[in-house]
Amino acid sequence: MSLLRTAVPSDVPAILGMIQDLAVYEKEPDAVKNTVEMLDASLFGDNPQVFANVVDSPNAGEPIVAFALWFLNYSTWEGTHGIHLEDLYVRPEARGGGYGKILLRELAKIAVERGYARVEWSVLDWNEPSINFYKSLGAEAMDGWSVFRLDGAELNAFGAASVEITA
């Protein structure tokens, strides 16, 4: 039996628990607003736009030990999709067992099989263990690029404002 598989609805509570654990690790323990119902709808609703792969524990009856949550992006230059890895998480007690590598290899395999141009993700600057792991796989940092985000009150204000074309 393979430990790697596509997530199923019964995995949602465990995935959400690991998302919350990841938020604690990333020093944002109160940032997760997601719920079991929201995550279930995103992954398994009528038209899912988010996907997840999981790794089962090698010990029967124990919860999954790792997950990758991802969605498609699009490269206008390449003219094809890519995969954006939103979260990759391995439970602390399972780290070093190759589970993160298995998940990333699966995403690479999906990208290659479907003709996608790339697999991309973000990593916090201070997260040296993850940065070193990604580099060991051959991944490269995208120097010269910065991630921008518009959210919260600023998103609401900007989205509610009218825009005038002056040309």
Side-chain angles (χ1 to χ4, degrees):
M1 176 177 98
S2 174
L3 296 175
L4 173 67
R5 61 181 173 79
T6 301
V8 296
S10 61
D11 295 322
V12 169
I15 293 170
L16 183 59
M18 287 188 284
I19 290 170
Q20 292 164 334
D21 292 345
L22 180 59
V24 170
Y25 177 76
E26 292 183 350
K27 303 174 184 170
E28 294 283 344
D30 300 320
V32 177
K33 295 178 178 80
N34 209 346
T35 65
V36 167
E37 295 77 18
M38 292 165 64
L39 186 57
D40 185 74
S42 293
L43 290 167
F44 304 107
D46 291 338
N47 186 25
Q49 301 295 308
V50 179
F51 311 96
N53 298 84
V54 299
V55 177
D56 286 318
S57 171
N59 303 317
E62 291 186 11
I64 57 178
V65 296
F67 80 97
L69 192 135
W70 57 278
F71 54 88
L72 296 181
N73 57 21
Y74 183 79
S75 170
T76 57
W77 289 13
E78 297 286 340
T80 188
H81 286 289
I83 290 175
H84 178 82
L85 174 61
E86 180 65 20
D87 284 337
L88 174 69
Y89 185 77
V90 179
R91 293 184 190 275
E93 64 274 13
R95 291 182 187 151
Y99 302 123
K101 191 173 192 177
I102 290 169
L103 286 163
L104 280 170
R105 183 165 282 136
E106 179 66 10
L107 294 185
K109 179 180 172 186
I110 291 168
V112 169
E113 287 174 351
R114 296 181 185 179
Y116 298 162
R118 58 181 66 127
V119 177
E120 295 179 325
W121 60 92
S122 298
V123 61
L124 292 166
D125 292 341
W126 56 260
N127 192 345
E128 287 296 323
S130 293
I131 291 168
N132 292 334
F133 167 64
Y134 298 141
K135 286 181 177 179
S136 77
L137 303 176
E140 297 178 2
M142 298 288 298
D143 292 334
W145 291 82
S146 296
V147 176
F148 281 78
R149 177 176 291 165
L150 187 59
D151 64 2
E154 292 81 7
L155 173 64
N156 290 328
F158 188 68
S162 62
V163 177
E164 293 182 31
I165 307 292
T166 59

